[in-house]
Amino acid sequence: MRILVLARRRVVEALLTLLGASVLIWALMPLAPGDPARMILVAQGVPEPPPEQIRALEQTLHLDRPVLAQYAHWFWGVLRGDFGLSFASGRPVSGEFADRLPATLTLASAALALALAFSVALGVIAAQYPRRWPDHGTRWLALIFASVPGFVVALLLIQVFVVGFGFGKAALDGTWRQVWLPAVCLAVGLSDTWSRLLRANLLAFLDSPTAEVLNARGAGRWRILWRHGLPNSAVPSLHALAVATAVLIGGATVVETVFTWPGLGSYVVESVKTRDLPAIQAFTVFATASYVVTSLVADLLSAVIDRRIAVDA
């Protein structure tokens, strides 16, 4: 029952957050330079659209209505997945997103899987040998991962593997066959924080009375870490995983641009260059919704795993 109460409250908070974010995002439209209807017609191949054609498109897009009516029309369109027409291509933005979303989801899935594998390996090794050379080595490795910017890692991977060894390509097509270089680049940036967080959680569990009881019953340190420590570290790690998932689903702009990965990240970079406001609005809505939804799922999973969270809430 307490979990249901927590779930209802978190869902209401998430919906209110999305509603407030939609108002702020839509407010970008009146600030855009130029006439949106004229820009769309030019993108559709009409270099000098006549005034009557501009007025007709404004009526179609409801741009001739009061501000609140425009927001209501835009918000209803967002709920239906309609983000309007692109200023750059004249095509529906939802179609542009649908073309690029599979590539972004492919990259996000691969990067998360690799980051989890790297983090668990580094975190468990560090917790198994605290304050010894394996622990110090993983700390230095995590520090290097945290210190090097993502675009530098991307360029190094291209130089070493693509240019040096001829493995893979610099211009990628968004398929699973070519996802691993950009996925490794993103995983390196995530695993530094995750591995240190996991190490701290595992060491805290090893100092707990539960670990002492398990040790007294004959369980070895490795068994305690893998069988009991990792599941108990799931809750503190869920929110870090949720934030990273939202960031990756929203598009890893730098890495996608360097590798010419045909996902949402590289698309929004081009949209910013061309001042394609409907595309920027759609990306912002999608990124915000990704963060809110993943955070909501992390909260609910945490309450299911650890019932004390639902009681305290």
Side-chain angles (χ1 to χ4, degrees), residues 62 65-74:
H62 299 268
R65 293 188 177 186
V67 173
L68 290 179
Q70 291 184 39
Y71 167 74
H73 173 74
W74 176 81

Side-chain angles (χ1 to χ4, degrees), residues 7-308:
R8 284 197 296 267
R9 194 173 78 185
R10 291 289 190 268
V11 169
V12 170
E13 291 174 352
L15 292 176
L16 291 176
T17 301
L18 289 174
L19 181 61
S22 72
V23 174
L24 295 176
I25 294 167
W26 176 84
L28 295 172
M29 181 63 78
L31 302 177
D35 185 351
R38 188 180 188 283
M39 297 174 70
I40 291 172
L41 289 172
V42 171
Q44 291 177 343
V46 185
E48 292 295 336
E52 58 272 12
Q53 193 172 6
I54 293 176
R55 286 195 296 270
L57 184 57
E58 286 177 345
Q59 292 177 356
T60 302
L61 299 177
H62 299 268
L63 297 176
D64 58 337
R65 293 188 177 186
V67 173
L68 290 179
Q70 291 184 39
Y71 167 74
H73 173 74
W74 176 81
F75 185 71
W76 175 242
V78 169
L79 293 178
R80 293 182 290 112
D82 180 7
F83 294 94
L85 299 178
S86 167
F87 289 175
S89 66
R91 292 183 55 203
V93 175
S94 56
E96 303 273 8
F97 262 56
D99 292 341
R100 292 165 173 80
L101 183 58
T104 291
L105 293 179
T106 298
L107 178 57
S109 301
L112 287 173
L114 290 176
L116 284 173
F118 293 164
S119 303
V120 170
L122 294 175
V124 171
I125 290 173
Q128 173 69 14
Y129 305 102
R131 294 174 294 277
R132 296 165 62 182
W133 72 263
D135 185 20
H136 296 313
T138 57
R139 286 191 185 187
W140 278 106
L141 191 59
L143 180 62
I144 294 173
F145 286 171
S147 303
V148 180
F151 72 91
V152 174
V153 177
L155 293 175
L156 287 175
L157 290 175
I158 292 174
Q159 181 64 35
V160 173
F161 290 98
V162 178
V163 178
F165 295 102
F167 174 78
K169 299 179 181 179
L172 307 181
D173 59 6
T175 61
W176 281 102
R177 186 170 53 88
Q178 298 183 355
V179 74
W180 301 109
L181 279 182
V184 167
C185 182
L186 291 172
V188 164
L190 294 173
S191 58
D192 62 308
T193 303
W194 291 4
S195 63
R196 305 320 298 167
L197 176 63
L198 180 60
R199 172 191 179 276
N201 293 332
L202 289 175
L203 289 179
F205 178 77
L206 289 175
D207 290 336
S208 67
T210 302
E212 294 179 1
V213 172
L214 292 171
N215 189 38
R217 291 179 176 178
R221 191 179 180 90
W222 274 108
R223 179 179 176 83
I224 294 174
L225 284 173
W226 286 100
R227 185 74 179 272
H228 305 279
L230 284 177
N232 279 274
S233 302
V235 171
S237 303
L238 271 176
H239 287 279
L241 178 62
V243 172
T245 302
V247 170
L248 293 177
I249 292 177
T253 55
V254 174
V255 172
E256 287 192 8
T257 302
V258 172
F259 283 98
T260 62
W261 185 260
L264 295 179
S266 56
Y267 174 62
V268 76
V269 170
E270 292 300 320
S271 300
V272 171
K273 291 179 181 178
T274 58
R275 298 183 180 179
D276 191 355
L277 189 57
I280 298 172
Q281 284 180 313
F283 176 81
T284 309
V285 169
F286 183 77
T288 303
S290 299
Y291 177 79
V292 172
V293 171
T294 53
S295 297
L296 174 63
V297 172
D299 286 340
L300 298 181
L301 286 177
S302 299
V304 171
I305 295 172
D306 189 347
R307 299 299 180 92
R308 293 172 298 177

